[in-house]
């Protein structure tokens, strides 16, 4: 096998692995009706809500929790993950900040932000938290696939311009 073939194969394998998780999260976003499934307990849902709001706080657009991200994550865990992966993720959530969820919820806002910032700073390093990385991905996917995220945080133009007929000879090729 030559080096070029090896790089193509390894890129395809890595891309496929990343695509599987993202594809399931996107499928969940498409199927999500806006109501939590009830898989996460109240403290776990509140924990996800507070972490979501630290990552995507309220600004001139609504925060992640206002966009329904915690309910989306609850739905994703309930409907799109196998039980082993789901339980492993929830167990990781409980240990995410080296404190229990109840202790995390009692911390000051500054301390919570510092803890999440320290997890965020370690992303991409050898000691990153895979649970935090997955949680952050779900928060971002959940936010930007929500109606609030897609229409207020991102620019949205349902009709990007007036209809104008253009002769093929003017553009040379058809667009795919």
């Amino acid at each position: 096998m030559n080096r070029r073939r090896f790089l193509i194969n390894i890129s395809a394998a890595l891309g496929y692995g990343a695509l599987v998780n993202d594809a399931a999260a996107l499928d969940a976003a498409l199927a999500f009706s806006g109501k939590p499934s009830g898989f996460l307990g109240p403290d776990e849902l509140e924990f996800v809500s507070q972490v979501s709001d630290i990552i995507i706080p309220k600004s001139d657009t609504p925060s992640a929790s206002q966009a329904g991200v915690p309910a989306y994550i609850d739905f994703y865990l309930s409907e799109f993950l196998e039980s082993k992966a789901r339980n492993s993720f929830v167990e990781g959530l409980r240990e995410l900040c080296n404190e229990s969820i109840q202790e995390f919820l009692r911390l000051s806002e500054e301390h919570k932000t510092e803890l999440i910032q320290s997890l965020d700073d370690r992303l991409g390093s050898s000691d990153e938290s895979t649970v935090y990385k997955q949680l952050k991905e779900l928060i971002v996917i959940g936010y930007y696939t929500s109606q609030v995220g897609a229409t207020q945080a991102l620019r949205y133009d349902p009709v990007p311009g007036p209809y104008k007929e253009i002769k093929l000879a003017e553009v040379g090729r058809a667009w795919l």
Side-chain angles (χ1 to χ4, degrees), residues 24-80:
L26 290 173
D27 284 346
L30 293 173
F32 181 55
S33 66
K35 295 182 180 176
S37 62
F39 173 73
L40 292 175
D43 286 347
E44 295 162 339
L45 205 55
E46 181 62 25
F47 174 77
V48 170
S49 177
Q50 291 188 13
V51 172
S52 299
D53 285 348
I54 291 170
I55 293 173
I56 303 177
K58 181 175 176 25
S59 60
D60 59 335
T61 59
S63 70
S65 66
Q66 291 171 327
V69 168
Y72 158 75
I73 292 173
D74 184 49
F75 176 75
Y76 170 77
L77 293 173
S78 172
E79 303 296 326
F80 284 84

Side-chain angles (χ1 to χ4, degrees), residues 162-173:
Y163 177 75
K164 179 182 172 191
E165 279 198 37
I166 300 174
K167 295 182 179 176
L168 184 60
E170 292 176 21
V171 293
R173 295 182 182 179

Side-chain angles (χ1 to χ4, degrees), residues 64-136:
S65 66
Q66 291 171 327
V69 168
Y72 158 75
I73 292 173
D74 184 49
F75 176 75
Y76 170 77
L77 293 173
S78 172
E79 303 296 326
F80 284 84
L81 278 187
E82 295 179 13
S83 64
K84 185 177 178 182
R86 179 182 332 140
N87 293 335
S88 175
F89 182 80
V90 171
E91 191 62 36
L93 278 182
R94 292 182 184 136
E95 300 169 355
L96 190 60
C97 299
N98 296 328
E99 299 182 34
S100 73
I101 287 177
Q102 291 80 15
E103 290 173 358
F104 179 85
L105 295 176
R106 287 191 291 262
L107 295 174
S108 68
E109 294 301 318
E110 293 81 24
H111 197 155
K112 290 175 191 172
T113 303
E114 287 173 10
L115 285 171
I116 299 304
Q117 184 64 49
S118 71
L119 290 169
D120 209 82
D121 291 343
R122 288 185 287 179
L123 287 178
S125 70
S126 60
D127 64 339
E128 75 177 8
S129 167
T130 55
V131 171
Y132 176 71
K133 182 178 181 180
Q134 187 178 13
L135 177 62
K136 186 173 181 180

Side-chain angles (χ1 to χ4, degrees), residues 7-20:
L7 290 173
I8 290 171
N9 289 342
I10 196 72
S11 298
L14 292 174
Y16 179 75
L19 183 62
V20 169

